[in-house]
Amino acid sequence: MQAHADRLATELIKPIEAATITEPEKVELGKKLWFDPRLSMSGFISCNSCHNLSTGGSDNLPTSIGHNWQEGPINSPTVLNSSLNVAQFWDGRAANLQEQAGGPIANPMEMASTHVLAVDVINSIPQYREEFAKVYGSAEVTIDNITDAIAVFEETLVTPNSRFDQWLKGDDKAITEQELAGYNTFKSIGCVACHNGPAAGGTSFQRMGVVEPYQTTNPAEGRAAVTGKDADRFTFKVPTLRNVELTYPYFHDGAYWTLEEATDVMARLQLGRQLEDEEISNVVAFLKTLTGDQPTFTMPILPPSTNDTPRPQPFGIKQ
């Protein structure tokens, strides 16, 4: 018990807590909307397309595929534990999950719809109107209610009970000697300065390439695109390391496919450390202990469209 108390008090990474669901009907509505591709112009892309809950809440692509097979500008961050982030998107342009949920719907490179059209689609489906009336007290569907329901569902997508969390809570056998050695290296070289808290990241913005410049062809400017300040150029939200073994490829440009490469790059560019192969192997072993229980639920059955539902346009308007 003392080891439990000492670790919880002194370690900078904290356990993930299980989600507390207080509005189950809103969560179920948000789940349906999360998986509903009719929020996109094509009727093909849903929230889950780029944040696949079967693959760690990301799409395992360097950058995502959007409407009409457009190449996205940046790597799709995991949605798992995203409720613990200081802000949403790599540049933090959305203050919360609800604000984030509205962005891709109207982005011409992503779902390529509009908020008006998305509302018209959902409003044309009687079963959705009934659910919105039950949850929000009004059958009138609004974009605010759509994004609120999606955000409340996303808040349930946490991953507790990782082996590392079990160790934090006092189970010495939950991780191996190699994994513990990797964690000690992770701490001693300074990784934990940015990757801390329950999500092991997500709570600050840091410049990519502190000691050495990060070489990339990706045009993303980071926080500078939000603040307009040149000092914020190439500053990005520190990603969570929870479930990181599932969310390859890594960094905002998705340039590195293995944890070994990513660990080496971060140690050199951010901390000025050239790690030995054994140290890298140990750190990677530790990182894999951060994989927690993945969200599990019954897949939603979406209500059918009606004669009044706007038709999808997967390839644009036919002339």
Side-chain angles (χ1 to χ4, degrees):
M1 292 299 292
Q2 186 61 43
H4 169 194
D6 288 348
R7 286 173 190 161
L8 291 180
T10 61
E11 299 299 340
L12 292 181
I13 297 178
K14 305 298 182 183
I16 291 276
E17 299 299 330
T20 300
I21 297 176
T22 59
E23 300 177 288
E25 291 175 339
K26 185 182 288 189
V27 170
E28 285 302 307
L29 175 57
K31 183 200 299 182
K32 288 181 180 178
L33 294 167
W34 172 269
F35 283 100
D36 201 327
R38 290 170 294 188
L39 289 177
S40 68
M41 175 67 73
S42 65
F44 184 72
I45 300 172
S46 70
C47 301
N48 197 65
S49 298
C50 296
H51 302 283
N52 193 327
L53 299 180
S54 296
T55 56
S58 64
D59 58 13
N60 297 142
L61 296 172
T63 58
S64 297
I65 297 170
H67 184 69
N68 277 347
W69 294 94
Q70 294 178 87
E71 181 181 353
I74 203 164
N75 181 259
S76 180
T78 178
V79 71
L80 299 182
N81 306 303
S82 57
S83 59
L84 302 174
N85 290 339
V86 65
Q88 305 301 322
F89 297 113
W90 280 98
D91 58 12
R93 65 184 181 274
N96 52 51
L97 287 172
Q98 181 178 8
E99 188 176 335
Q100 186 278 329
I105 293 173
N107 189 317
M109 292 189 68
E110 296 183 53
M111 298 171 83
S113 186
T114 68
H115 288 171
V116 171
L117 178 58
V119 168
D120 286 346
V121 168
I122 301 302
N123 200 45
S124 72
I125 300 171
Q127 288 169 257
Y128 266 136
R129 291 201 302 271
E130 291 171 9
E131 288 192 58
F132 273 90
K134 192 172 184 180
V135 170
Y136 291 100
S138 171
E140 181 186 2
V141 178
T142 68
I143 191 61
D144 285 344
N145 287 349
I146 288 174
T147 54
D148 177 65
I150 291 173
V152 170
F153 169 65
E154 287 184 84
E155 289 171 359
T156 71
L157 303 177
V158 294
T159 59
N161 200 40
S162 70
R163 289 193 296 115
F164 185 74
D165 285 358
Q166 294 171 32
W167 179 82
L168 285 174
K169 294 179 178 182
D171 183 357
D172 291 333
K173 296 180 180 179
I175 64 176
T176 67
E177 289 185 7
Q178 182 192 19
E179 291 160 351
L180 181 57
Y183 179 48
N184 287 331
T185 298
F186 183 87
K187 290 192 293 182
S188 67
I189 67 174
C191 304
V192 77
C194 297
H195 293 286
N196 53 54
T203 57
S204 66
F205 296 94
Q206 301 293 336
R207 179 173 176 80
M208 184 67 167
V210 174
V211 179
E212 299 177 30
Y214 181 70
Q215 302 296 329
T216 182
T217 58
N218 188 287
E221 297 180 306
R223 285 291 286 168
V226 179
T227 66
K229 299 178 180 178
D230 193 62
D232 290 333
R233 195 169 303 282
F234 237 51
T235 294
F236 297 94
K237 185 181 66 185
V238 174
T240 176
L241 293 182
R242 293 287 182 171
N243 311 291
V244 69
E245 69 173 314
L246 308 178
T247 58
Y248 51 84
Y250 302 110
F251 308 151
H252 71 280
D253 58 354
Y256 292 88
W257 283 86
T258 73
L259 280 174
E260 287 80 5
E261 292 175 308
T263 299
D264 172 62
V265 169
M266 291 303 286
R268 289 188 292 102
L269 271 57
Q270 302 303 105
L271 303 168
R273 297 292 296 264
Q274 182 70 57
L275 297 180
E276 300 292 335
D277 289 346
E278 182 179 6
E279 291 177 304
I280 291 174
S281 295
N282 291 348
V283 170
V284 169
F286 154 65
L287 292 174
K288 292 180 179 180
T289 72
L290 295 172
T291 301
D293 292 343
Q294 301 299 292
T296 57
F297 43 74
T298 302
M299 286 289 291
I301 303 301
L302 303 181
S305 297
T306 68
N307 293 349
D308 297 324
T309 302
R311 300 291 185 262
Q313 298 175 18
F315 306 108
I317 298 174
K318 301 295 185 181
Q319 299 297 326

